[in-house]
Amino acid sequence: MTDNEASVIDEGTFTVRRTIRIAAPIEKVWTAVTAPEHISRWFGRTVLDGAGVGATGTITFPEYGSVPIRVEVLDAPRTVSYRWGNDDALGHLRDELDDRSTVFTFTLEPVPDGTRLTVVETGFDRTSDPAANMASHGEGWVAELDKLVALLEGDA
């Protein structure tokens, strides 16, 4: 499995960023981060009502619950953004998205022998505890994207 760096937390801009390399073609990575049945294989059980910008649904994590989600941007096969109501420090899950929701964006770039995928999550300044949420999500992106690499590189 490709070894990738950990997430970078920027407290000044309230963002979490992680860039990884996956030994898989961009089309395969794109499907893995946009098709609910494929997202469900590495992230959380994902259900979307509709397709494209504006599609809404949930990502459900075992022993955590369902998090509301909406597709914000879709520019195949390069960029997809999701808004989600995942405020870990709040202590309970929200049923709906609001102005305290964060947005995570996957950007894909073809590189020799694979794809560079960068996730940037923004909006932590509007959450219940920005520092705690950035730390939690920084760790979460390491765990989740490592599962994506393992899946796409055939180790899962």
Side-chain angles (χ1 to χ4, degrees):
M1 185 171 95
T2 304
D3 189 29
N4 287 292
E5 297 292 320
S7 299
V8 175
I9 296 170
D10 186 333
E11 293 177 357
T13 60
F14 297 97
T15 61
V16 173
R17 172 187 302 270
R18 185 167 190 224
T19 299
I20 64 171
R21 191 164 188 284
I22 305 170
I26 193 169
E27 297 80 12
K28 189 173 182 180
V29 178
W30 178 254
T31 298
V33 300
T34 59
E37 64 274 17
H38 291 276
I39 297 169
S40 297
R41 295 180 63 201
W42 64 273
F43 199 28
R45 186 174 53 79
T46 303
V47 176
L48 286 174
D49 182 18
V53 173
T56 60
T58 57
I59 297 180
T60 303
F61 300 94
E63 300 177 18
Y64 184 75
S66 294
V67 177
I69 190 166
R70 180 176 61 229
V71 178
E72 298 284 296
V73 173
L74 191 65
D75 182 17
R78 304 285 186 199
T79 306
V80 61
S81 295
Y82 299 96
R83 177 174 298 278
W84 67 341
N86 190 12
D87 187 337
D88 296 336
L90 191 59
H92 63 85
L93 294 173
R94 293 193 178 116
D95 293 331
E96 296 183 8
L97 298 169
D98 59 24
D99 63 352
R100 295 170 291 168
S101 304
T102 60
V103 174
F104 63 93
T105 300
F106 292 123
T107 304
L108 288 68
E109 177 185 356
V111 294
D113 301 320
T115 303
R116 178 180 302 124
L117 180 138
T118 299
V119 63
V120 178
E121 188 171 359
T122 61
F124 288 102
D125 54 317
R126 296 182 305 271
T127 65
S128 64
D129 185 337
N133 282 316
M134 286 188 296
S136 175
H137 289 224
E139 292 173 9
W141 286 120
V142 170
E144 301 301 339
L145 292 180
D146 283 356
K147 286 190 269 184
L148 174 63
V149 172
L151 175 70
L152 294 180
E153 293 185 356
D155 296 336

Short mmCIF file of all heavy atoms in Angstrom, two decimals, residues 67-136:
data_model
loop_
_atom_site.label_atom_id
_atom_site.label_comp_id
_atom_site.label_asym_id
_atom_site.label_seq_id
_atom_site.Cartn_x
_atom_site.Cartn_y
_atom_site.Cartn_z
N VAL A 67 -25.00 11.10 9.30
CA VAL A 67 -24.62 12.49 9.13
C VAL A 67 -25.24 13.00 7.83
O VAL A 67 -25.07 12.38 6.78
CB VAL A 67 -23.08 12.62 9.07
CG1 VAL A 67 -22.67 14.06 8.82
CG2 VAL A 67 -22.45 12.08 10.34
N PRO A 68 -25.99 14.13 7.88
CA PRO A 68 -26.56 14.66 6.64
C PRO A 68 -25.45 15.17 5.72
O PRO A 68 -24.43 15.69 6.17
CB PRO A 68 -27.46 15.80 7.12
CG PRO A 68 -26.94 16.20 8.46
CD PRO A 68 -26.31 14.96 9.05
N ILE A 69 -25.71 15.04 4.40
CA ILE A 69 -24.71 15.42 3.40
C ILE A 69 -25.41 15.97 2.16
O ILE A 69 -26.55 15.60 1.87
CB ILE A 69 -23.81 14.21 3.04
CG1 ILE A 69 -22.63 14.64 2.19
CG2 ILE A 69 -24.61 13.09 2.41
CD1 ILE A 69 -21.55 13.57 2.09
N ARG A 70 -24.73 16.89 1.46
CA ARG A 70 -25.25 17.44 0.20
C ARG A 70 -24.08 17.68 -0.75
O ARG A 70 -23.03 18.16 -0.34
CB ARG A 70 -25.98 18.75 0.45
CG ARG A 70 -26.55 19.38 -0.82
CD ARG A 70 -27.36 20.65 -0.56
NE ARG A 70 -26.55 21.67 0.06
CZ ARG A 70 -26.91 22.36 1.15
NH1 ARG A 70 -28.05 22.13 1.76
NH2 ARG A 70 -26.12 23.28 1.65
N VAL A 71 -24.27 17.34 -2.02
CA VAL A 71 -23.26 17.61 -3.04
C VAL A 71 -23.32 19.11 -3.36
O VAL A 71 -24.36 19.63 -3.75
CB VAL A 71 -23.50 16.77 -4.31
CG1 VAL A 71 -22.45 17.11 -5.38
CG2 VAL A 71 -23.50 15.28 -3.99
N GLU A 72 -22.18 19.78 -3.22
CA GLU A 72 -22.10 21.23 -3.44
C GLU A 72 -21.50 21.58 -4.80
O GLU A 72 -21.91 22.54 -5.43
CB GLU A 72 -21.26 21.89 -2.34
CG GLU A 72 -21.82 21.73 -0.94
CD GLU A 72 -23.00 22.64 -0.69
OE1 GLU A 72 -22.82 23.87 -0.71
OE2 GLU A 72 -24.10 22.12 -0.48
N VAL A 73 -20.48 20.83 -5.22
CA VAL A 73 -19.76 21.09 -6.47
C VAL A 73 -19.45 19.75 -7.11
O VAL A 73 -19.09 18.80 -6.40
CB VAL A 73 -18.44 21.87 -6.21
CG1 VAL A 73 -17.63 22.00 -7.49
CG2 VAL A 73 -18.71 23.22 -5.60
N LEU A 74 -19.57 19.69 -8.42
CA LEU A 74 -19.23 18.46 -9.14
C LEU A 74 -18.64 18.86 -10.49
O LEU A 74 -19.32 19.45 -11.32
CB LEU A 74 -20.49 17.62 -9.34
CG LEU A 74 -20.30 16.20 -9.85
CD1 LEU A 74 -19.54 15.35 -8.85
CD2 LEU A 74 -21.66 15.57 -10.12
N ASP A 75 -17.35 18.58 -10.67
CA ASP A 75 -16.64 18.89 -11.91
C ASP A 75 -15.81 17.66 -12.28
O ASP A 75 -14.63 17.56 -11.95
CB ASP A 75 -15.75 20.12 -11.72
CG ASP A 75 -15.02 20.52 -12.98
OD1 ASP A 75 -15.42 20.08 -14.08
OD2 ASP A 75 -14.03 21.28 -12.87
N ALA A 76 -16.47 16.69 -12.94
CA ALA A 76 -15.85 15.40 -13.25
C ALA A 76 -14.69 15.54 -14.22
O ALA A 76 -14.78 16.33 -15.15
CB ALA A 76 -16.91 14.46 -13.83
N PRO A 77 -13.65 14.79 -14.06
CA PRO A 77 -13.31 13.94 -12.91
C PRO A 77 -12.29 14.60 -11.99
O PRO A 77 -11.36 13.95 -11.51
CB PRO A 77 -12.70 12.71 -13.59
CG PRO A 77 -11.90 13.31 -14.72
CD PRO A 77 -12.73 14.51 -15.18
N ARG A 78 -12.45 15.87 -11.74
CA ARG A 78 -11.42 16.61 -11.00
C ARG A 78 -11.80 17.04 -9.59
O ARG A 78 -10.98 16.98 -8.69
CB ARG A 78 -11.02 17.87 -11.78
CG ARG A 78 -10.54 17.61 -13.17
CD ARG A 78 -9.17 17.04 -13.17
NE ARG A 78 -8.72 16.95 -14.56
CZ ARG A 78 -7.75 16.19 -14.96
NH1 ARG A 78 -7.12 15.44 -14.11
NH2 ARG A 78 -7.41 16.15 -16.22
N THR A 79 -13.04 17.50 -9.39
CA THR A 79 -13.41 18.10 -8.11
C THR A 79 -14.82 17.73 -7.71
O THR A 79 -15.74 17.79 -8.53
CB THR A 79 -13.33 19.65 -8.19
OG1 THR A 79 -12.03 20.02 -8.66
CG2 THR A 79 -13.58 20.29 -6.85
N VAL A 80 -14.98 17.35 -6.45
CA VAL A 80 -16.31 17.17 -5.87
C VAL A 80 -16.26 17.71 -4.44
O VAL A 80 -15.29 17.48 -3.71
CB VAL A 80 -16.77 15.69 -5.90
CG1 VAL A 80 -15.84 14.78 -5.11
CG2 VAL A 80 -18.21 15.56 -5.42
N SER A 81 -17.31 18.47 -4.08
CA SER A 81 -17.42 19.02 -2.73
C SER A 81 -18.71 18.55 -2.10
O SER A 81 -19.76 18.51 -2.75
CB SER A 81 -17.43 20.55 -2.75
OG SER A 81 -16.21 21.07 -3.20
N TYR A 82 -18.61 18.20 -0.83
CA TYR A 82 -19.76 17.79 -0.03
C TYR A 82 -19.87 18.67 1.20
O TYR A 82 -18.87 18.94 1.87
CB TYR A 82 -19.60 16.34 0.44
CG TYR A 82 -19.49 15.31 -0.65
CD1 TYR A 82 -18.25 14.86 -1.09
CD2 TYR A 82 -20.64 14.76 -1.22
CE1 TYR A 82 -18.16 13.89 -2.08
CE2 TYR A 82 -20.54 13.79 -2.21
CZ TYR A 82 -19.29 13.35 -2.63
OH TYR A 82 -19.20 12.39 -3.60
N ARG A 83 -21.07 19.10 1.53
CA ARG A 83 -21.35 19.76 2.80
C ARG A 83 -21.91 18.69 3.72
O ARG A 83 -22.76 17.90 3.32
CB ARG A 83 -22.37 20.89 2.63
CG ARG A 83 -22.74 21.57 3.95
CD ARG A 83 -23.64 22.77 3.72
NE ARG A 83 -22.96 23.79 2.93
CZ ARG A 83 -22.09 24.68 3.42
NH1 ARG A 83 -21.81 24.69 4.71
NH2 ARG A 83 -21.52 25.56 2.62
N TRP A 84 -21.41 18.65 4.96
CA TRP A 84 -21.93 17.67 5.90
C TRP A 84 -22.04 18.26 7.29
O TRP A 84 -21.33 19.19 7.65
CB TRP A 84 -21.15 16.39 5.86
CG TRP A 84 -19.71 16.39 6.35
CD1 TRP A 84 -18.86 17.46 6.50
CD2 TRP A 84 -18.97 15.23 6.71
NE1 TRP A 84 -17.64 17.02 6.93
CE2 TRP A 84 -17.68 15.67 7.08
CE3 TRP A 84 -19.25 13.89 6.78
CZ2 TRP A 84 -16.69 14.79 7.50
CZ3 TRP A 84 -18.26 13.03 7.19
CH2 TRP A 84 -17.00 13.47 7.54
N GLY A 85 -22.93 17.73 8.07
CA GLY A 85 -23.20 18.22 9.42
C GLY A 85 -22.50 17.37 10.46
O GLY A 85 -23.16 16.86 11.36
N ASN A 86 -21.20 17.20 10.33
CA ASN A 86 -20.44 16.32 11.21
C ASN A 86 -19.63 17.15 12.21
O ASN A 86 -18.46 17.38 12.02
CB ASN A 86 -19.54 15.41 10.38
CG ASN A 86 -18.91 14.32 11.21
OD1 ASN A 86 -19.31 14.09 12.34
ND2 ASN A 86 -17.94 13.65 10.66
N ASP A 87 -20.27 17.59 13.28
CA ASP A 87 -19.65 18.39 14.34
C ASP A 87 -19.42 17.47 15.53
O ASP A 87 -20.25 17.36 16.43
CB ASP A 87 -20.59 19.55 14.69
CG ASP A 87 -19.98 20.54 15.67
OD1 ASP A 87 -19.05 20.16 16.42
OD2 ASP A 87 -20.44 21.69 15.69
N ASP A 88 -18.28 16.76 15.54
CA ASP A 88 -17.99 15.76 16.57
C ASP A 88 -18.11 16.31 17.98
O ASP A 88 -18.62 15.65 18.88
CB ASP A 88 -16.58 15.19 16.38
CG ASP A 88 -16.41 14.44 15.08
OD1 ASP A 88 -17.41 13.95 14.53
OD2 ASP A 88 -15.26 14.34 14.61
N ALA A 89 -17.61 17.53 18.19
CA ALA A 89 -17.56 18.10 19.54
C ALA A 89 -18.93 18.50 20.08
O ALA A 89 -19.09 18.71 21.27
CB ALA A 89 -16.62 19.31 19.55
N LEU A 90 -19.92 18.57 19.22
CA LEU A 90 -21.26 18.98 19.64
C LEU A 90 -21.88 17.99 20.61
O LEU A 90 -22.66 18.36 21.48
CB LEU A 90 -22.15 19.17 18.40
CG LEU A 90 -23.50 19.83 18.60
CD1 LEU A 90 -23.34 21.24 19.18
CD2 LEU A 90 -24.23 19.89 17.27
N GLY A 91 -21.55 16.72 20.45
CA GLY A 91 -22.07 15.70 21.36
C GLY A 91 -23.33 15.02 20.89
O GLY A 91 -23.80 14.08 21.51
N HIS A 92 -23.90 15.50 19.79
CA HIS A 92 -25.06 14.84 19.18
C HIS A 92 -25.06 15.16 17.69
O HIS A 92 -24.44 16.12 17.25
CB HIS A 92 -26.38 15.28 19.82
CG HIS A 92 -26.67 16.75 19.67
ND1 HIS A 92 -27.28 17.28 18.55
CD2 HIS A 92 -26.42 17.80 20.49
CE1 HIS A 92 -27.40 18.59 18.69
NE2 HIS A 92 -26.88 18.94 19.86
N LEU A 93 -25.73 14.32 16.93
CA LEU A 93 -25.78 14.51 15.48
C LEU A 93 -26.91 15.44 15.10
O LEU A 93 -27.99 15.42 15.71
CB LEU A 93 -25.97 13.16 14.79
CG LEU A 93 -24.79 12.20 14.93
CD1 LEU A 93 -25.14 10.84 14.35
CD2 LEU A 93 -23.55 12.77 14.25
N ARG A 94 -26.66 16.26 14.10
CA ARG A 94 -27.71 17.13 13.57
C ARG A 94 -28.51 16.38 12.52
O ARG A 94 -27.98 15.53 11.81
CB ARG A 94 -27.08 18.36 12.93
CG ARG A 94 -26.40 19.26 13.92
CD ARG A 94 -26.09 20.59 13.25
NE ARG A 94 -25.47 21.48 14.19
CZ ARG A 94 -24.24 21.94 14.08
NH1 ARG A 94 -23.49 21.60 13.05
NH2 ARG A 94 -23.74 22.75 14.98
N ASP A 95 -29.78 16.73 12.40
CA ASP A 95 -30.63 16.12 11.38
C ASP A 95 -30.54 16.84 10.04
O ASP A 95 -30.85 16.26 9.01
CB ASP A 95 -32.10 16.12 11.83
CG ASP A 95 -32.32 15.22 13.03
OD1 ASP A 95 -31.57 14.23 13.18
OD2 ASP A 95 -33.24 15.50 13.81
N GLU A 96 -30.14 18.11 10.07
CA GLU A 96 -30.13 18.92 8.86
C GLU A 96 -28.83 19.69 8.73
O GLU A 96 -28.13 19.92 9.72
CB GLU A 96 -31.30 19.91 8.88
CG GLU A 96 -32.66 19.23 8.86
CD GLU A 96 -33.80 20.24 8.82
OE1 GLU A 96 -33.54 21.44 8.64
OE2 GLU A 96 -34.94 19.81 8.94
N LEU A 97 -28.55 20.11 7.52
CA LEU A 97 -27.39 20.95 7.25
C LEU A 97 -27.75 22.40 7.55
O LEU A 97 -28.88 22.82 7.34
CB LEU A 97 -26.97 20.81 5.80
CG LEU A 97 -26.55 19.40 5.39
CD1 LEU A 97 -26.42 19.31 3.88
CD2 LEU A 97 -25.26 19.02 6.07
N ASP A 98 -26.77 23.15 8.05
CA ASP A 98 -26.99 24.57 8.32
C ASP A 98 -25.68 25.31 8.13
O ASP A 98 -24.70 24.74 7.64
CB ASP A 98 -27.59 24.78 9.71
CG ASP A 98 -26.71 24.25 10.84
OD1 ASP A 98 -25.48 24.12 10.64
OD2 ASP A 98 -27.25 23.95 11.91
N ASP A 99 -25.63 26.57 8.54
CA ASP A 99 -24.43 27.38 8.32
C ASP A 99 -23.26 26.95 9.21
O ASP A 99 -22.16 27.45 9.07
CB ASP A 99 -24.73 28.87 8.49
CG ASP A 99 -25.18 29.24 9.90
OD1 ASP A 99 -25.42 28.33 10.72
OD2 ASP A 99 -25.30 30.44 10.17
N ARG A 100 -23.48 26.01 10.13
CA ARG A 100 -22.39 25.49 10.96
C ARG A 100 -21.80 24.21 10.37
O ARG A 100 -20.91 23.61 10.97
CB ARG A 100 -22.89 25.24 12.38
CG ARG A 100 -23.30 26.53 13.10
CD ARG A 100 -24.00 26.23 14.38
NE ARG A 100 -25.30 25.65 14.02
CZ ARG A 100 -26.11 25.05 14.87
NH1 ARG A 100 -25.78 24.94 16.13
NH2 ARG A 100 -27.26 24.55 14.47
N SER A 101 -22.30 23.78 9.23
CA SER A 101 -21.79 22.58 8.56
C SER A 101 -20.46 22.88 7.90
O SER A 101 -20.22 24.00 7.44
CB SER A 101 -22.78 22.11 7.49
OG SER A 101 -24.06 21.90 8.04
N THR A 102 -19.60 21.87 7.83
CA THR A 102 -18.33 22.03 7.12
C THR A 102 -18.46 21.49 5.71
O THR A 102 -19.41 20.78 5.39
CB THR A 102 -17.18 21.33 7.87
OG1 THR A 102 -17.45 19.94 7.97
CG2 THR A 102 -16.95 21.94 9.25
N VAL A 103 -17.51 21.85 4.87
CA VAL A 103 -17.47 21.39 3.49
C VAL A 103 -16.14 20.70 3.25
O VAL A 103 -15.09 21.24 3.61
CB VAL A 103 -17.63 22.57 2.50
CG1 VAL A 103 -17.44 22.11 1.06
CG2 VAL A 103 -18.99 23.24 2.68
N PHE A 104 -16.19 19.50 2.68
CA PHE A 104 -14.94 18.85 2.28
C PHE A 104 -14.93 18.69 0.77
O PHE A 104 -15.94 18.35 0.16
CB PHE A 104 -14.68 17.54 3.03
CG PHE A 104 -15.65 16.42 2.82
CD1 PHE A 104 -15.43 15.47 1.84
CD2 PHE A 104 -16.77 16.29 3.63
CE1 PHE A 104 -16.32 14.40 1.66
CE2 PHE A 104 -17.66 15.24 3.47
CZ PHE A 104 -17.43 14.29 2.48
N THR A 105 -13.77 18.97 0.20
CA THR A 105 -13.59 18.95 -1.25
C THR A 105 -12.47 17.98 -1.60
O THR A 105 -11.37 18.07 -1.05
CB THR A 105 -13.23 20.36 -1.76
OG1 THR A 105 -14.29 21.25 -1.42
CG2 THR A 105 -13.01 20.35 -3.27
N PHE A 106 -12.79 17.07 -2.52
CA PHE A 106 -11.77 16.18 -3.08
C PHE A 106 -11.34 16.76 -4.42
O PHE A 106 -12.17 17.05 -5.28
CB PHE A 106 -12.34 14.77 -3.34
CG PHE A 106 -12.69 13.99 -2.11
CD1 PHE A 106 -13.97 13.51 -1.92
CD2 PHE A 106 -11.72 13.70 -1.15
CE1 PHE A 106 -14.29 12.76 -0.81
CE2 PHE A 106 -12.04 12.95 -0.03
CZ PHE A 106 -13.33 12.48 0.14
N THR A 107 -10.04 16.91 -4.59
CA THR A 107 -9.46 17.34 -5.86
C THR A 107 -8.55 16.23 -6.34
O THR A 107 -7.68 15.76 -5.60
CB THR A 107 -8.67 18.65 -5.70
OG1 THR A 107 -9.54 19.65 -5.15
CG2 THR A 107 -8.13 19.13 -7.03
N LEU A 108 -8.75 15.79 -7.59
CA LEU A 108 -7.99 14.69 -8.16
C LEU A 108 -7.10 15.20 -9.27
O LEU A 108 -7.51 16.07 -10.07
CB LEU A 108 -8.93 13.63 -8.73
CG LEU A 108 -9.71 12.76 -7.76
CD1 LEU A 108 -10.76 13.54 -7.00
CD2 LEU A 108 -10.36 11.61 -8.50
N GLU A 109 -5.89 14.67 -9.32
CA GLU A 109 -4.93 15.04 -10.35
C GLU A 109 -4.19 13.79 -10.81
O GLU A 109 -3.65 13.05 -9.98
CB GLU A 109 -3.94 16.05 -9.78
CG GLU A 109 -2.85 16.47 -10.72
CD GLU A 109 -1.83 17.37 -10.04
OE1 GLU A 109 -1.99 17.74 -8.87
OE2 GLU A 109 -0.84 17.69 -10.72
N PRO A 110 -4.18 13.53 -12.12
CA PRO A 110 -3.41 12.37 -12.59
C PRO A 110 -1.91 12.62 -12.39
O PRO A 110 -1.44 13.73 -12.63
CB PRO A 110 -3.78 12.25 -14.06
CG PRO A 110 -4.29 13.60 -14.45
CD PRO A 110 -4.82 14.25 -13.20
N VAL A 111 -1.22 11.61 -11.93
CA VAL A 111 0.23 11.67 -11.78
C VAL A 111 0.79 10.36 -12.35
O VAL A 111 0.04 9.41 -12.55
CB VAL A 111 0.65 11.85 -10.29
CG1 VAL A 111 0.21 13.21 -9.76
CG2 VAL A 111 0.12 10.72 -9.42
N PRO A 112 2.09 10.30 -12.61
CA PRO A 112 2.65 9.03 -13.11
C PRO A 112 2.29 7.87 -12.16
O PRO A 112 2.41 8.00 -10.94
CB PRO A 112 4.15 9.29 -13.12
CG PRO A 112 4.26 10.78 -13.30
CD PRO A 112 3.11 11.34 -12.52
N ASP A 113 1.79 6.81 -12.71
CA ASP A 113 1.43 5.61 -11.95
C ASP A 113 0.28 5.80 -10.98
O ASP A 113 0.19 5.08 -9.99
CB ASP A 113 2.64 5.03 -11.20
CG ASP A 113 3.75 4.65 -12.16
OD1 ASP A 113 3.44 4.11 -13.24
OD2 ASP A 113 4.92 4.89 -11.83
N GLY A 114 -0.60 6.78 -11.21
CA GLY A 114 -1.73 6.90 -10.31
C GLY A 114 -2.41 8.24 -10.27
O GLY A 114 -2.45 8.97 -11.26
N THR A 115 -2.93 8.56 -9.08
CA THR A 115 -3.71 9.77 -8.87
C THR A 115 -3.28 10.43 -7.57
O THR A 115 -3.08 9.75 -6.56
CB THR A 115 -5.22 9.42 -8.78
OG1 THR A 115 -5.60 8.74 -9.97
CG2 THR A 115 -6.07 10.66 -8.60
N ARG A 116 -3.17 11.76 -7.60
CA ARG A 116 -2.98 12.53 -6.37
C ARG A 116 -4.36 13.03 -5.97
O ARG A 116 -5.06 13.67 -6.77
CB ARG A 116 -2.04 13.70 -6.59
CG ARG A 116 -1.88 14.55 -5.31
CD ARG A 116 -0.94 15.73 -5.50
NE ARG A 116 0.36 15.28 -5.92
CZ ARG A 116 0.99 15.69 -7.03
NH1 ARG A 116 0.41 16.54 -7.84
NH2 ARG A 116 2.18 15.23 -7.33
N LEU A 117 -4.77 12.71 -4.76
CA LEU A 117 -6.06 13.15 -4.23
C LEU A 117 -5.80 14.05 -3.03
O LEU A 117 -5.05 13.68 -2.12
CB LEU A 117 -6.91 11.96 -3.80
CG LEU A 117 -8.28 12.33 -3.25
CD1 LEU A 117 -9.36 11.39 -3.79
CD2 LEU A 117 -8.28 12.28 -1.73
N THR A 118 -6.39 15.23 -3.06
CA THR A 118 -6.29 16.14 -1.93
C THR A 118 -7.69 16.38 -1.40
O THR A 118 -8.61 16.66 -2.17
CB THR A 118 -5.67 17.49 -2.35
OG1 THR A 118 -4.35 17.25 -2.85
CG2 THR A 118 -5.60 18.47 -1.18
N VAL A 119 -7.85 16.24 -0.08
CA VAL A 119 -9.09 16.61 0.57
C VAL A 119 -8.80 17.85 1.40
O VAL A 119 -7.78 17.93 2.10
CB VAL A 119 -9.69 15.48 1.43
CG1 VAL A 119 -8.77 15.09 2.59
CG2 VAL A 119 -11.06 15.87 1.97
N VAL A 120 -9.68 18.84 1.29
CA VAL A 120 -9.60 20.04 2.12
C VAL A 120 -10.98 20.21 2.75
O VAL A 120 -11.99 20.29 2.03
CB VAL A 120 -9.22 21.30 1.30
CG1 VAL A 120 -9.21 22.53 2.20
CG2 VAL A 120 -7.88 21.11 0.62
N GLU A 121 -11.00 20.25 4.07
CA GLU A 121 -12.27 20.49 4.78
C GLU A 121 -12.20 21.87 5.42
O GLU A 121 -11.23 22.20 6.10
CB GLU A 121 -12.51 19.41 5.84
CG GLU A 121 -13.89 19.52 6.46
CD GLU A 121 -14.26 18.35 7.36
OE1 GLU A 121 -13.45 17.41 7.52
OE2 GLU A 121 -15.37 18.40 7.90
N THR A 122 -13.23 22.67 5.17
CA THR A 122 -13.26 24.06 5.63
C THR A 122 -14.52 24.31 6.46
O THR A 122 -15.46 23.52 6.45
CB THR A 122 -13.27 25.03 4.43
OG1 THR A 122 -14.45 24.77 3.64
CG2 THR A 122 -12.04 24.87 3.56
N GLY A 123 -14.53 25.45 7.14
CA GLY A 123 -15.72 25.87 7.88
C GLY A 123 -15.70 25.53 9.35
O GLY A 123 -16.72 25.69 10.04
N PHE A 124 -14.58 25.07 9.86
CA PHE A 124 -14.52 24.68 11.27
C PHE A 124 -14.73 25.85 12.22
O PHE A 124 -15.12 25.64 13.37
CB PHE A 124 -13.18 24.00 11.57
CG PHE A 124 -13.07 22.63 10.98
CD1 PHE A 124 -12.33 22.42 9.82
CD2 PHE A 124 -13.69 21.54 11.56
CE1 PHE A 124 -12.22 21.16 9.26
CE2 PHE A 124 -13.58 20.27 11.01
CZ PHE A 124 -12.85 20.08 9.86
N ASP A 125 -14.48 27.07 11.74
CA ASP A 125 -14.68 28.24 12.60
C ASP A 125 -16.13 28.41 13.02
O ASP A 125 -16.43 29.07 14.01
CB ASP A 125 -14.18 29.51 11.90
CG ASP A 125 -14.78 29.71 10.52
OD1 ASP A 125 -14.86 28.72 9.75
OD2 ASP A 125 -15.13 30.86 10.19
N ARG A 126 -17.06 27.77 12.31
CA ARG A 126 -18.49 27.89 12.63
C ARG A 126 -19.00 26.70 13.45
O ARG A 126 -20.18 26.62 13.74
CB ARG A 126 -19.29 28.02 11.34
CG ARG A 126 -18.97 29.30 10.56
CD ARG A 126 -19.80 29.45 9.30
NE ARG A 126 -19.71 28.32 8.40
CZ ARG A 126 -18.81 28.16 7.44
NH1 ARG A 126 -17.89 29.08 7.26
NH2 ARG A 126 -18.83 27.11 6.65
N THR A 127 -18.11 25.77 13.80
CA THR A 127 -18.54 24.59 14.55
C THR A 127 -18.50 24.88 16.06
O THR A 127 -18.00 25.91 16.50
CB THR A 127 -17.65 23.37 14.23
OG1 THR A 127 -16.31 23.61 14.69
CG2 THR A 127 -17.64 23.07 12.74
N SER A 128 -19.00 23.92 16.83
CA SER A 128 -19.11 24.11 18.28
C SER A 128 -17.77 24.23 18.99
O SER A 128 -17.66 24.93 20.00
CB SER A 128 -19.91 22.95 18.90
OG SER A 128 -19.20 21.73 18.73
N ASP A 129 -16.74 23.58 18.48
CA ASP A 129 -15.40 23.63 19.07
C ASP A 129 -14.39 23.44 17.94
O ASP A 129 -14.01 22.31 17.64
CB ASP A 129 -15.25 22.54 20.13
CG ASP A 129 -13.92 22.62 20.87
OD1 ASP A 129 -12.94 23.19 20.33
OD2 ASP A 129 -13.85 22.08 22.00
N PRO A 130 -13.98 24.53 17.29
CA PRO A 130 -13.13 24.41 16.11
C PRO A 130 -11.87 23.57 16.31
O PRO A 130 -11.57 22.70 15.49
CB PRO A 130 -12.78 25.87 15.76
CG PRO A 130 -13.96 26.64 16.26
CD PRO A 130 -14.36 25.94 17.53
N ALA A 131 -11.13 23.80 17.39
CA ALA A 131 -9.88 23.06 17.59
C ALA A 131 -10.13 21.57 17.75
O ALA A 131 -9.44 20.74 17.15
CB ALA A 131 -9.13 23.62 18.80
N ALA A 132 -11.11 21.21 18.56
CA ALA A 132 -11.41 19.79 18.77
C ALA A 132 -11.90 19.14 17.49
O ALA A 132 -11.50 18.01 17.17
CB ALA A 132 -12.47 19.63 19.87
N ASN A 133 -12.74 19.83 16.73
CA ASN A 133 -13.25 19.26 15.48
C ASN A 133 -12.16 19.13 14.44
O ASN A 133 -12.10 18.12 13.72
CB ASN A 133 -14.42 20.08 14.95
CG ASN A 133 -15.71 19.79 15.68
OD1 ASN A 133 -16.03 18.64 15.94
ND2 ASN A 133 -16.44 20.82 16.03
N MET A 134 -11.25 20.11 14.35
CA MET A 134 -10.16 19.99 13.38
C MET A 134 -9.25 18.81 13.75
O MET A 134 -8.83 18.05 12.87
CB MET A 134 -9.35 21.29 13.30
CG MET A 134 -10.09 22.39 12.55
SD MET A 134 -9.09 23.86 12.24
CE MET A 134 -8.76 24.45 13.89
N ALA A 135 -8.97 18.63 15.03
CA ALA A 135 -8.13 17.50 15.46
C ALA A 135 -8.82 16.18 15.13
O ALA A 135 -8.20 15.25 14.59
CB ALA A 135 -7.83 17.61 16.95
N SER A 136 -10.10 16.08 15.45
CA SER A 136 -10.85 14.85 15.19
C SER A 136 -10.92 14.53 13.70
O SER A 136 -10.67 13.41 13.27
CB SER A 136 -12.27 14.97 15.77
OG SER A 136 -13.04 13.86 15.43
#
